[in-house]
Amino acid sequence: PFDANGSGTIFGSGVAAVLLKPLDTALADGDNIYAVIKSTVAANDGSEKVSYTASSATGQARAIVEALSLADVSPDSISYVECHATGTPSGDPVEIQALTRAFRLHTQRTNFCAVGSVKGNIGHPEQAAGMAGLIKVALALRHEVIPPTAGYQTPNPRIDWKSSPFRVQDQITPWPRNGEPRRAGVNSLGIGGTNAFLLLE
């Protein structure tokens, strides 16, 4: 993911499960809470795309903006985004373009938010890909670390990293609790125009 030598992904299959509960109920039951999902948005822009498989920056950005609005949080407070990032030469730049469009509505800061993708570790588990990203972020919040992006060495030159809010997470970084909520996004895309974005803290 995000590497200059990225030429596609390795497909696989997978299954994943998470237990979702209202926060008040989980607290009352004494559950171990890995993360709180502040908002979720899933939308489809298939009728506006140039092809069935191509990503659309506009459609992705629309879902991200709506998720931020529903959660009523500023992009400035988000420290990490788990991206779809299949490592394709065109897909990764479109995804960062979409995230940048959405974040730029509320912040002009650069390189403050890390991005990564679990696909460098496990490939693309097809329908379970979004769930794999959700589980990765929940575990990162739980263990208070942001893991590195596997296989990343050289930035994809088609992505304008210098002027974007993002930087690739290239090493393990502590993610301590400093009195403010730690927030992360999960961006997941589907063939045919499905765009989903979750905001966790």
Side-chain angles (χ1 to χ4, degrees), residues 43-45 49 52-55 84 124 126 188-196:
N44 190 287
D45 66 331
K49 296 184 345 138
Y52 182 65
T53 59
S55 298
H84 185 73
H124 191 331
E126 303 237 344
S188 188
L189 314 173
I191 287 178
T194 300
N195 307 296

Side-chain angles (χ1 to χ4, degrees), residues 128-166:
M131 290 294 288
L134 170 62
I135 291 169
K136 174 186 168 182
V137 172
L139 288 169
L141 286 164
R142 171 81 166 192
H143 294 289
E144 302 189 29
V145 295
I146 302 176
T149 304
Y152 175 79
Q153 294 180 333
T154 308
N156 184 329
R158 297 180 64 185
I159 300 173
D160 183 8
W161 295 109
K162 288 184 179 178
S163 61
S164 89
F166 306 102

Side-chain angles (χ1 to χ4, degrees), residues 11 14 17 23 32 58 60 62 73 75 78-79 86-87 95 98 101 114 116 131 147 154 157 160 162 167 170-171 201:
F11 285 94
L23 180 58
N32 290 316
T58 302
Q60 290 181 51
R62 205 176 291 143
V73 300
I78 299 172
S79 10
T86 55
E95 186 171 11
R101 279 189 196 178
M131 290 294 288
T154 308
D160 183 8
K162 288 184 179 178
R167 57 180 169 73
D170 59 358
Q171 58 187 337
E201 73 174 28

Side-chain angles (χ1 to χ4, degrees), residues 9-93:
T9 193
I10 297 171
F11 285 94
S13 60
V15 63
V18 296
L19 176 62
L20 303 178
K21 283 175 116 173
L23 180 58
D24 290 345
T25 305
L27 289 168
D29 292 346
D31 292 331
N32 290 316
I33 300 169
Y34 282 65
V36 174
I37 299 175
K38 297 287 288 179
S39 67
T40 63
V41 170
N44 190 287
D45 66 331
S47 64
E48 303 168 14
K49 296 184 345 138
V50 295
S51 77
Y52 182 65
T53 59
S55 298
S56 158
T58 302
Q60 290 181 51
R62 205 176 291 143
I64 298 162
V65 168
E66 187 175 343
L68 292 170
S69 177
L70 282 173
D72 193 24
V73 300
S74 166
D76 279 310
S77 68
I78 299 172
S79 10
Y80 178 73
V81 175
E82 173 68 14
C83 293
H84 185 73
T86 55
T88 58
S90 59
D92 288 3

